[in-house]
Amino acid sequence: MTADLKPIDLDILGTLLNSNGQPVQLDFFLQEFRATQKSVDHSLERLIRHGCVIERDMHTIRLIQAGLGVWKDYLQHTLPKQSRRSVEVYQTTASTQDRVKAQANQSVVIFADEQTAGRGRLGRQWLAPKGVGLLFSMTHKLPRDRPDSIDRVSFLTAVALAQAIERITGHGPVQIRWPNDIYVNQRKLAGILVETVQPRGAANATAVIGIGINVGLTRDHLAEMPAELRSRVTSFAMLGWPIDRLHIAEKVIAQIDRNLHSPDVSSLVDEWRSRNLHREQTLKLKSNGQTISGTVIDLDPDHGLIVRRDTGEIVHLPAATTSVLDS
Ligand code: BTN
């Protein structure tokens, strides 16, 4: 923990984050944490010194934004044990994906406020103006006896994102555009990039899971972005969900780890089915350079999307090499 942040500061921050921008009564803190007004004031001062923006009047306290300076301590304090990794937070980096790859032999999650070379699937760019995206990459060590495919990790992560966003916002269902785009109201809210690396000297490979979530993106930001994104992208802000990036990070990471370690993959396939944006749709897909037209039937957790081609043939299309072509 940073030398001068105390556990009570992080507990107070947790309560403020959970209230999603609503004011919390000072009395609540006094009772809940058996604190004095003076100690609450000191906690707020320390949080503000670490970049938090907090509004305070006689009786209430409201978090406007959690500063980057508290992210590391807060996540290390709050995440459940199986999600505990070393946490790094950067103002700017080329791509969190590359930073994690460089230390994929450790258990780590790396955040950036801004990326100068953020990338998406299939060599695409990932654009997010500074300060408005929740951008991070994390390691997931693939079990040696069952080296999970990119397909399995992608679908478990996509379901986790949808579940966590539904839980935080009360909105549902959040949809999954196979393999790993998260959609709300027919627009993309988040994307997932899964890559694998073989750390030097390690017996098993590690998946590097990269997540980009549009949180504070506004129409003004979109006006500065490429025209083709404008009608396709949404954000927490545009959807009227005033939720802090740190709160989303906490809930999303915990849910990803729950799903990745769940022994019940078939019930998570059910969770995917109920959120599948392409249910029984006829689609055009590009797989290994070939254009395929067919109807989406189901998901094979380890071998991708199951599609009935117009020719009648059933094919399994892996996430790593397939993309859905826009109709
Ligand atoms: C996609 O939609 O194609 C996937 C987008 C993944 C973007 C995230 S942002 C954090 C991490 N770092 C990157 O360079 N990419 C991923």
Side-chain angles (χ1 to χ4, degrees):
M1 192 174 299
T2 317
D4 66 347
L5 272 182
K6 301 193 186 321
I8 184 172
D9 306 347
L10 301 170
D11 291 336
I12 289 176
L13 177 60
T15 304
L16 292 170
L17 283 167
N18 273 308
S19 78
N20 292 330
Q22 294 302 310
V24 181
Q25 295 289 327
L26 173 64
D27 280 351
F28 175 85
F29 295 108
L30 302 183
Q31 284 159 22
E32 180 74 12
F33 303 122
R34 297 199 181 151
T36 61
Q37 189 159 334
K38 199 163 164 195
S39 68
V40 172
D41 284 339
H42 285 151
S43 283
L44 298 180
E45 279 160 23
R46 284 188 290 270
L47 291 170
I48 290 167
R49 260 209 311 279
H50 284 78
C52 293
V53 183
I54 293 173
E55 251 178 30
R56 162 88 206 259
D57 64 21
M58 285 276 282
H59 302 293
T60 64
I61 300 163
R62 187 164 91 92
L63 179 73
I64 310 292
Q65 190 175 44
L68 286 189
V70 299
W71 284 31
K72 178 180 166 83
D73 287 354
Y74 179 74
L75 292 172
Q76 280 176 340
H77 179 75
T78 321
L79 281 172
K81 221 178 183 167
Q82 78 176 355
S83 287
R84 238 163 259 170
R85 294 169 168 75
S86 78
V87 179
E88 294 177 17
V89 183
Y90 293 90
Q91 297 272 356
T92 302
T93 193
S95 161
T96 56
Q97 208 63 6
D98 296 336
R99 283 214 173 251
V100 166
K101 278 187 173 177
Q103 43 185 298
N105 53 347
Q106 297 159 40
S107 179
V108 60
V109 56
I110 297 185
F111 295 89
D113 206 29
E114 177 186 45
Q115 297 182 122
T116 53
R119 58 172 193 278
R121 288 182 66 242
L122 307 169
R124 297 180 190 129
Q125 267 189 309
W126 178 264
L127 297 171
K130 185 173 174 59
V132 303
L134 174 57
L135 314 172
F136 66 95
S137 302
M138 58 194 258
T139 47
H140 168 62
K141 203 181 252 182
L142 298 172
R144 203 187 315 190
D145 53 333
R146 197 201 60 219
D148 290 352
S149 61
I150 287 194
D151 282 278
R152 182 180 283 231
V153 175
S154 303
F155 114 80
L156 291 172
T157 305
V159 170
L161 238 75
Q163 290 172 313
I165 293 169
E166 286 168 10
R167 206 158 299 147
I168 301 167
T169 62
H171 173 99
V174 169
Q175 291 189 293
I176 301 167
R177 183 181 192 266
W178 185 86
N180 33 22
D181 288 344
I182 301 299
Y183 266 60
V184 173
N185 299 345
Q186 306 296 322
R187 288 170 173 244
K188 180 162 170 171
L189 178 66
I192 301 160
L193 172 67
V194 182
E195 298 172 312
T196 52
V197 278
Q198 182 73 44
R200 205 166 333 135
N204 36 354
T206 293
V208 177
I209 305 172
I211 315 258
I213 307 179
N214 302 322
V215 182
L217 195 78
T218 61
R219 282 178 219 290
D220 288 346
H221 292 118
L222 274 184
E224 307 288 313
M225 293 170 80
E228 69 268 18
L229 291 182
R230 285 180 211 149
S231 57
R232 297 182 180 192
V233 167
T234 191
S235 71
F236 275 66
M238 288 162 71
L239 289 160
W241 298 338
I243 300 169
D244 197 274
R245 288 184 295 172
L246 181 56
H247 187 53
I248 303 169
E250 176 196 346
K251 302 297 176 200
V252 163
I253 293 171
Q255 188 65 48
I256 291 174
D257 279 318
R258 265 198 294 279
N259 287 10
L260 288 173
H261 294 101
S262 167
D264 190 3
V265 171
S266 74
S267 79
L268 289 165
V269 174
D270 285 342
E271 299 285 344
W272 179 87
R273 288 189 185 112
S274 66
R275 295 173 176 88
N276 170 20
L277 188 73
H278 300 303
R279 199 183 324 187
E280 288 172 24
Q281 269 180 12
T282 300
L283 292 179
K284 280 203 174 6
L285 302 113
K286 193 162 196 111
S287 190
N288 278 325
Q290 202 195 358
T291 302
I292 290 175
S293 169
T295 307
V296 174
I297 299 180
D298 205 357
L299 182 79
D300 175 328
D302 281 312
H303 301 101
L305 199 63
I306 308 176
V307 170
R308 183 186 302 105
R309 297 186 70 163
D310 296 345
T311 56
E313 182 195 4
I314 306 279
V315 286
H316 291 231
L317 302 173
T321 49
T322 310
S323 61
V324 176
L325 297 173
D326 291 314
S327 42

